[in-house]
Amino acid sequence: MTHAPTLLPHHIEDDRVLVLERTFPATPERVFQAFTEAEHLKQWWGPRGWTLTRCDVDLRPGGRWHYCMKCEDQNQGEFYGMESWGLGVYDEISSPDRLRYTDYFSDAQGAVNEDMPATLVDLTFEAVPGGTRVVSRSTYSTPEGLKTVMDMGMLHGISETWDRLAEYLG
């Protein structure tokens, strides 16, 4: 069964910053772990039909998160079998309140794809009634960088990804 995600509440600031927000049914500690530990990330990261076939996390300032998402859903047509590699480089880690890293498109060896826009991701985790509110601020160096990822369907993909996280935490 295919689920059409409800697009995350979002807004664009300054033509370069995409702000996303969602409340998850778990404590800030548990949500922070879901974002920072490989055994958790493997359970939910990526849009529906995609799985993490590689997930290496070195959670420290300057440490790296290198991962591969692979489309394993034959119903996704031309995407079936496709791999998408990413590399996060951690900047600030303040468990369980804040996580900041730069997210890059990469290859299997972790080399950054300079043709694709990098994203400075700043996540905050706040205890609220019913769980944890996560606010994600994704900053691009140019408005064109943000437009590139929006045109690729990033908002749909992150909405499905966060749907999967809500199900995993529920």
Side-chain angles (χ1 to χ4, degrees):
M1 177 176 175
T2 307
H3 300 274
T6 301
L7 293 182
L8 286 166
H10 65 282
H11 64 276
I12 295 175
E13 293 177 354
D14 178 12
D15 292 335
R16 302 179 311 113
V17 181
L18 175 64
V19 181
L20 306 169
E21 183 177 321
R22 180 152 179 186
T23 298
F24 295 97
T27 63
E29 292 79 10
R30 192 157 168 244
V31 178
F32 187 89
Q33 285 178 326
F35 273 91
T36 58
E37 296 179 9
E39 61 268 26
H40 295 296
L41 285 159
K42 289 175 185 176
Q43 303 303 312
W44 66 273
W45 186 263
R48 293 194 190 280
W50 293 70
T51 59
L52 282 189
T53 57
R54 178 166 171 188
C55 184
D56 301 319
V57 176
D58 179 12
L59 186 65
R60 61 181 175 81
R64 296 160 45 111
W65 169 36
H66 189 216
Y67 62 93
C68 177
M69 296 186 304
K70 183 174 183 176
C71 182
E72 296 184 343
D73 178 0
Q74 294 183 3
N75 295 322
Q76 293 193 24
E78 66 187 31
F79 293 108
Y80 177 66
M82 178 186 279
E83 290 184 342
S84 179
W85 287 87
L87 176 71
V89 179
Y90 296 109
D91 178 40
E92 183 177 331
I93 301 155
S94 179
S95 177
D97 306 309
R98 187 169 184 215
L99 179 66
R100 196 167 93 156
Y101 63 95
T102 302
D103 191 37
Y104 301 95
F105 290 87
S106 77
D107 64 14
Q109 289 72 45
V112 171
N113 180 343
E114 300 288 348
D115 295 329
M116 296 299 293
T119 312
L120 176 62
V121 179
D122 193 349
L123 296 161
T124 58
F125 305 85
E126 177 189 1
V128 296
T132 300
R133 179 173 58 222
V134 176
V135 177
S136 171
R137 296 177 56 81
S138 297
T139 304
Y140 296 83
S141 59
T142 64
E144 294 77 24
L146 175 56
K147 182 178 180 339
T148 295
V149 297
M150 293 295 275
D151 289 349
M152 290 172 60
M154 185 270 296
L155 186 58
H156 181 271
I158 196 67
S159 295
E160 281 191 353
T161 298
W162 282 19
D163 282 351
R164 291 181 63 198
L165 174 58
E167 292 161 12
Y168 175 67
L169 292 170

